[in-house]
Amino acid sequence: MPGPPVPDTGGRIAKPLPPEHFTHHDTNAEMRWEAAGDQGYLVDTERFFVRNHTATPRIDADRWRLRVWGDGLRCARTEDEAVTLSYAALRRLPSASATAALTCAGNGRSFFGRQQSQGAEGTPWELGGIGVARWHGVPLGTVLEHVGVRPDAVSVLATGLDEPFVEDGVDHGPVRRPLPMEKALDDTLVAYEMNGAPLPPDHGFPARLVVPGWIGIASIKWLGSLQVSTTPLDSPWTTTFYRLQGGEHPADSPPITTGGIGSAFQLARGARLRAGERVVLRGRSWSGLAPIRSVAVSTDGGDTWSDARLNGPNEPGAWACWELDWRPQAPGRVELLARATDETGRTQPATEPWNRYGYYFSAVVRHPVEVG
Ligand SMILES: Nc1nc2c(c(=O)[nH]1)N[C@H]1C(S)=C(S)[C@@H](COP(=O)(O)O)O[C@H]1N2
Ligand SMILES: [Mo]
């Protein structure tokens, strides 16, 4: 029997998106959690979600240059004078690795509408806009020292080489976002490898930022330039997008930076389970702030809770895998819930205050199953 049709993204995503592994939304593709059971702590590169504002560009690494400039540098203070780094030169700099999640700030967005009856604009992600990979590249601080950063630099604006992002007739220019210098010099990588191989086109080839613990948009793909400044920089991705706007949020709420907290079951929504038969419920929980301290699971719609067993690594800015044994009793529809608490004490709430663009859905998601 033929399966569901393989989505055609019109070339905007380069890799195959088999429907058993991905749900495809326009230029984006999320990981299907029910298929994550064969994945280790890291998500295979070919299984990793893709979030493109426009389309994956095809970049020739031999001709690619990273351009670095700005008044926060000792030389190359204007764009015309930019210092350029080739792919080979980048790869010759001292390198480092990090295990980190990329989490789209809109991950879980569809649950604003499905669970709280007030929908939000944007890609209707379920919970698959997240993945953990092992990244390798040059610490951004090493790149900045190499080109000569001034001690009074405060901001680094990273710009991608994808086509400009146009929405509702407004051209916002190329995807770009500033990083404060403290985070740039702390643990941010200019990554050129993902899971031990060169970045594939969809994930930023030849080089991208990886900003551990921060929302995905900070990790600019297809890195083309870095503007280093002694005054704070902005872009539409900090002034318009990636702010909690509307609802109860103050008009001047700052851009979101660190990643939210969440949990997912490695099970289809509406999965069929047999009454009286033992099953192991498995899932993963994440927080941008810290490792996961505990995960409570309810198999009765939230009336009673049990602690899941955490197993395997539990890296900060990544995720923790967990499991719980369960023997469903009476036939019928049941809602499973998983609620994570991180090492800072942050816990997933029952509801998430609405915001216009539907960012940061961290409330506990109700996961229906059919016991038969
Ligand atoms: N240049 C560029 N960088 C980008 C994006 C983009 O569209 N263009 N999308 C961002 C967003 S919103 C996310 S969530 C992550 C997704 O990374 P991935 O596609 O490798 O999973 O990349 C970020 N970096
Ligand atoms: Mo994102």
Side-chain angles (χ1 to χ4, degrees):
M1 211 175 74
V6 174
D8 178 7
T9 63
R12 291 174 299 181
I13 295 178
K15 69 184 178 184
L17 301 173
E20 64 274 23
H21 294 151
F22 291 98
T23 307
H24 158 239
H25 314 277
D26 193 27
T27 57
N28 311 297
E30 71 174 294
M31 180 186 77
R32 280 189 184 273
W33 272 103
E34 65 263 42
D38 65 353
Q39 298 292 293
Y41 190 71
L42 306 179
V43 175
D44 293 345
T45 302
E46 53 283 9
R47 301 279 287 273
F48 209 89
F49 84 101
V50 181
R51 161 61 172 129
N52 283 350
H53 281 70
T54 59
T56 294
R58 304 309 174 99
I59 296 171
D60 176 354
D62 292 335
R63 295 173 55 196
W64 172 85
R65 296 288 182 275
L66 174 61
R67 304 170 65 253
V68 193
W69 60 280
D71 72 354
L73 295 185
R74 282 199 282 274
C75 58
R77 297 170 63 86
T78 66
E79 192 165 4
D80 294 342
E81 301 163 353
V83 178
T84 59
L85 266 172
S86 68
Y87 189 54
L90 179 70
R91 295 185 65 122
R92 278 195 298 269
L93 292 176
S95 63
S97 297
T99 298
L102 291 180
T103 317
C104 191
N107 196 26
R109 177 183 287 121
S110 66
F111 295 105
F112 278 105
R114 292 157 81 169
Q115 224 167 259
Q116 303 186 178
S117 66
Q118 190 177 12
E121 293 171 32
T123 305
W125 300 107
E126 292 194 353
L127 291 170
I130 184 169
V132 171
R134 182 85 176 148
W135 308 96
H136 186 76
V138 183
L140 178 54
T142 302
V143 172
L144 296 178
E145 275 162 36
H146 175 78
V147 298
V149 64
R150 290 167 48 115
D152 56 347
V154 299
S155 189
V156 184
L157 179 69
T159 301
L161 293 167
D162 36 348
E163 34 182 273
F165 177 59
V166 179
E167 193 186 49
D168 303 330
V170 180
D171 185 344
H172 296 284
V175 177
R176 61 201 188 283
R177 199 173 198 258
L179 259 186
M181 195 54 72
E182 308 83 77
K183 187 64 177 172
L185 298 179
D186 179 14
D187 55 357
T188 299
L189 277 184
V190 177
Y192 50 76
E193 282 180 14
M194 176 179 188
N195 294 333
L199 291 174
D202 293 316
H203 298 292
F205 183 83
R208 75 176 301 163
L209 291 189
V210 171
V211 185
W214 282 36
I215 53 172
I217 186 60
S219 294
I220 294 291
K221 303 194 271 189
W222 314 297
L223 193 60
S225 69
L226 295 168
Q227 180 189 352
V228 186
S229 172
T230 58
T231 51
L233 297 171
D234 266 322
S235 87
W237 286 266
T238 44
T239 56
T240 303
F241 312 121
Y242 302 99
R243 281 178 181 266
L244 303 177
Q245 301 179 65
E248 300 163 16
H249 298 283
D252 61 349
S253 81
I256 41 179
T257 56
T258 51
I261 184 166
S263 301
F265 288 92
Q266 292 171 193
L267 202 59
R269 292 178 68 78
R272 294 192 158 271
L273 304 174
R274 280 180 190 279
E277 255 176 42
R278 194 185 84 101
V279 342
V280 184
L281 299 175
R282 292 196 171 82
R284 305 183 192 210
S285 297
W286 55 90
S287 164
L289 296 182
I292 297 299
R293 178 187 293 164
S294 61
V295 179
V297 171
S298 172
T299 54
D300 55 11
D303 291 340
T304 61
W305 297 82
S306 311
D307 274 336
R309 288 185 298 278
L310 302 188
N311 46 41
N314 186 356
E315 303 271 346
W319 56 22
C321 303
W322 46 260
E323 57 182 44
L324 182 84
D325 301 320
W326 183 41
R327 193 188 297 274
Q329 298 298 339
R333 186 174 185 274
V334 177
E335 280 183 333
L336 307 178
L337 287 75
R339 183 179 66 208
T341 301
D342 72 18
E343 289 288 0
T344 70
R346 174 168 72 158
T347 297
Q348 291 183 251
T351 57
E352 183 66 34
W354 180 85
N355 67 93
R356 174 180 168 196
Y357 288 120
Y359 298 128
Y360 237 55
F361 189 88
S362 61
V364 176
V365 169
R366 308 182 77 88
H367 189 118
V369 295
E370 297 289 338
V371 178

